[in-house]
Amino acid sequence: MAIAKTDGCGAAERLSRIVLADGSAGHDAPIRLARADALLRDVADALHQLCSLHGRHPGVVDHAARCDPHPAAGDWLQQAAAAFADERAYLIRVSAAAGPPPGTPGQAAAEAALAAQRHAIDLLSRSVRPGCALGAAIGVTLDWPSIRRPLDAAAVRLGLETLPNALPSPAHTLRLVDAIAAEAPVERAMTFGLQQLLAQHRGLWDLLVARAESRG
């Protein structure tokens, strides 16, 4: 589902532009991995590494609901957390069907990079600075449709049933952004959490490209 462009220059518009510019939709890797001619070993590697970031429970949204609750975000967090529980199971199921990640030169360095990304995501989603963890949760929700492209393509390729996307819609999420961004410090923290979450995703795609190139 594409992120709808919003009118005006409110918080929702600003965050929407950030996701469009800096999110997974702006990276070539998800597009290439979703193609029918993508090497299955590259697909398996991508799914496995995605599991290492988002196949864990509790995840980003779960932590945000505990560490950064906001009165206006309760229903959104409940829907997002329930949907991500299904997304985790789906990601793990497709990853298992794709097989183990391929042997790749520089594995120790890759594992260290992934550990750093997991740590960064955990810090963001556990932040008690009002708006930060919620921004990370909003970021992963808005970026997930782009991540879903190679995931769904792999499911189809492997003969698995795809899962309907039950996450809050981008329009719903962006309305939430405007509802909770009345205070400037909260908006700054929310923007920071979102930007840093997207940076971890882009770092993962860069790592996956480098790993594929090292395999030849």
Side-chain angles (χ1 to χ4, degrees), residues 13 17 61 73 75 92 97 106 112 114 123 131 142 148 151-152 159 162 164 167 185 187 196 202 210 213:
E13 171 69 12
R17 289 175 177 174
V61 177
D75 290 343
I92 292 169
L114 283 165
L123 286 178
L142 291 176
R148 259 299 200 104
L151 177 57
D152 285 339
T162 59
L167 289 170
E187 182 182 348
Q196 294 302 308
R202 291 186 70 87
E213 290 175 348

Side-chain angles (χ1 to χ4, degrees), residues 68-79 134 138 176 179-180:
D68 191 15
H70 190 286
D75 290 343
W76 183 92
L77 284 167
Q78 184 177 9
Q79 179 186 353
L134 186 55
I138 288 169
L176 171 67
I180 63 179

Side-chain angles (χ1 to χ4, degrees), residues 112-172:
L114 283 165
Q117 289 177 337
R118 287 194 299 270
H119 181 64
I121 289 174
D122 284 345
L123 286 178
L124 289 169
S125 60
R126 294 173 185 266
S127 174
V128 295
R129 178 185 175 191
C132 184
L134 186 55
I138 288 169
V140 72
T141 302
L142 291 176
D143 206 38
W144 198 254
S146 296
I147 294 173
R148 259 299 200 104
R149 292 182 64 179
L151 177 57
D152 285 339
V156 171
R157 184 173 178 175
L158 296 167
L160 302 176
E161 184 177 355
T162 59
L163 180 74
N165 186 347
L167 289 170
S169 69
H172 181 188

Side-chain angles (χ1 to χ4, degrees), residues 6-104:
T6 57
D7 295 326
C9 56
E13 171 69 12
R14 288 189 287 273
L15 265 63
S16 179
R17 289 175 177 174
I18 291 171
V19 174
L20 289 170
D22 300 334
S24 297
H27 203 290
D28 288 339
I31 298 172
R32 282 188 280 174
L33 288 166
R35 293 192 328 211
D37 61 351
L39 294 177
L40 188 56
R41 66 185 185 185
D42 293 344
V43 174
D45 193 31
L47 295 176
H48 180 80
Q49 310 312 335
L50 279 168
C51 278
S52 74
L53 294 189
H54 293 300
R56 301 170 297 150
H57 182 268
V60 175
V61 177
D62 305 296
H63 285 309
R66 298 172 187 173
C67 300
D68 191 15
H70 190 286
D75 290 343
W76 183 92
L77 284 167
Q78 184 177 9
Q79 179 186 353
F84 265 113
D86 292 336
E87 293 295 325
R88 277 192 297 270
Y90 180 46
L91 175 59
I92 292 169
R93 178 164 57 91
V94 179
S95 179
T104 305

